[in-house]
Amino acid sequence: NGFKCHCMSESHQRQLLLASENPQQFMDYFSEEFRNDFLELLRRRFGTKRVHNNIVYNEYISHREHIHMNATQWETLTDFTKWLGREGLCKVDETPKGWYIQYIDRDPETIRRQQEQERKKKQDLDDEEKTAKFIEQQVRRGLEGKELEKPVYTELNRENEEEKVAFNLNKGASTSIAASSKTSSVLGPNALKMVEGAVKRKESSHSSGQSKEKKKKSALDEIMELEEEKKRTARTDYWLQPEIVVKIVTKKLGEKYHKKKAVVKEVIDKYTAVVKMIDSGDKLKLDQTHLETVIPAPGKKVLVLNGGYRGNEGILESINEKSFSATITIDSGPLKGRRVEGIQYEDISKLA
């Protein structure tokens, strides 16, 4: 033991001598180690969530083998937080409660998935604009049809001075009574029958036009109801659900887990999941950016994770590889039996 203590004291003295000869080199080394370990903890533990810097630092120093900030180039945690913001490694902002940091994930796979989500959101907005234009056209056509049916008013001219003019205050009856009295006096009873038949035909055509207008209105109401339902079930930026099969896409956990499949056992705060590996049975806590959905073979069960059919189970019918979409048949709920085409890969996943 005395020999070991003697050797360790000599080694410690040599390190002190080396540090005294080139202190900047050791400070740069410790600063880099501190920065890497701090960012790795922030990424693994909190992902891209906004969190108070003291919470991350307290968890960091709870590890026994951590590098203390006194050995780095930063004197305080606030200086280190500001440096992270200047270097573009984190988003930082100051509040009355202190400094908050948010990790910026620059992983190519994460950036690709974010771009895909933005493309999907833009496509949904385009679909909503098309639906709104279609509804506007239907409303305009309905209004134009009403304008065509407006009555035409003409000047009242009396051809015979001795003829009496009778008025009926009932809506729509004055014209027909005046016309029938005039025609009966001039053309006789046969002409009266012809006029009465024409009036009946006009009334029947008018009633059929009203029924068509009602049909148009009902179709328009149905479209508006569907649009309201679509807005109520708008897309969200979270999609994790229990008992679905997912694939781990991050490489930072090593080859043991990369591209391996797991089952979601628990969803925490909408964006984080506790998954159980299918091959090894290991349990991991991961952010949804480190996972992607799994598309099974046709005929297998899937769960809809986003969009208007969220939460419904379905049967995978076919896959369109060119458009990265699939066709499913809803297998649960009030929409059971409905066939849905063009649903994106990221909106469905295999059920465990």
Side-chain angles (χ1 to χ4, degrees), residues 98-338:
W99 285 88
Y100 282 80
I101 57 177
Q102 184 177 2
Y103 180 70
I104 301 176
D105 195 345
R106 302 188 184 277
D107 183 58
E109 185 67 20
T110 303
I111 295 175
R112 184 192 67 80
R113 291 176 65 84
Q114 289 175 350
Q115 291 175 349
E116 184 68 19
Q117 289 178 357
E118 291 296 330
R119 184 191 63 81
K120 182 63 178 176
K121 287 181 181 178
K122 184 178 179 182
Q123 182 179 353
D124 291 340
L125 290 175
D126 292 341
D127 293 341
E128 290 180 0
E129 290 178 358
K130 290 179 182 178
T131 306
K133 287 182 180 179
F134 175 73
I135 293 174
E136 186 180 352
Q137 291 176 357
Q138 294 294 328
V139 173
R140 190 184 298 113
R141 289 177 182 176
L143 294 176
E144 289 176 356
K146 289 181 180 179
E147 291 176 358
L148 292 175
E149 294 178 2
K150 286 183 178 179
V152 179
Y153 300 98
T154 58
E155 185 180 356
L156 179 61
N157 295 322
R158 185 188 299 180
E159 296 179 0
N160 188 357
E161 295 294 336
E162 297 179 356
E163 182 182 357
K164 294 181 179 181
V165 180
F167 294 95
N168 192 340
L169 298 178
N170 292 330
K171 184 179 179 180
S174 59
T175 307
S176 59
I177 292 175
S180 61
S181 62
K182 180 178 178 180
T183 310
S184 61
S185 62
V186 179
L187 299 177
N190 292 332
L192 178 61
K193 292 180 180 179
M194 294 173 63
V195 171
E196 289 177 351
V199 170
K200 289 181 180 179
R201 287 194 298 272
K202 183 177 180 181
E203 290 177 352
S204 62
S205 64
H206 182 66
S207 63
S208 63
Q210 286 181 344
S211 63
K212 288 181 180 179
E213 184 179 353
K214 289 181 180 178
K215 289 181 180 178
K216 288 182 180 179
K217 286 184 179 179
S218 63
L220 179 60
D221 293 339
E222 185 178 355
I223 294 173
M224 295 182 70
E225 290 174 0
L226 289 175
E227 183 65 15
E228 291 177 358
E229 180 67 20
K230 184 177 180 182
K231 290 181 179 179
R232 285 196 297 269
T233 56
R235 297 180 60 83
T236 60
D237 59 348
Y238 55 88
W239 53 269
L240 291 172
Q241 293 288 341
E243 298 304 319
I244 61 171
V245 180
V246 293
K247 183 187 292 184
I248 298 177
V249 295
T250 180
K251 298 180 180 178
K252 297 180 180 179
L253 298 176
E255 294 297 329
K256 180 180 179 181
Y257 300 115
H258 185 233
K259 294 296 183 181
K260 298 296 179 64
K261 295 179 182 178
V263 178
V264 176
K265 291 300 181 183
E266 183 183 358
V267 178
I268 305 172
D269 298 332
K270 298 180 181 179
Y271 300 93
T272 308
V274 176
V275 301
K276 183 178 181 181
M277 303 303 299
I278 294 178
D279 55 356
S280 63
D282 296 345
K283 286 189 176 182
L284 304 173
K285 186 177 179 182
L286 298 171
D287 189 83
Q288 70 173 13
T289 56
H290 299 150
L291 304 170
E292 69 177 16
T293 58
V294 173
I295 307 300
K300 299 293 184 179
K301 271 198 168 188
V302 296
L303 182 67
V304 183
L305 308 176
N306 218 334
Y309 299 96
R310 175 197 295 271
N312 287 285
E313 297 181 4
I315 304 296
L316 182 64
E317 299 292 341
S318 61
I319 298 173
N320 189 341
E321 296 181 356
K322 293 183 178 179
S323 61
F324 301 100
S325 62
T327 300
I328 66 170
T329 300
I330 303 298
D331 195 41
S332 66
L335 301 177
K336 184 176 181 179
R338 176 172 293 185

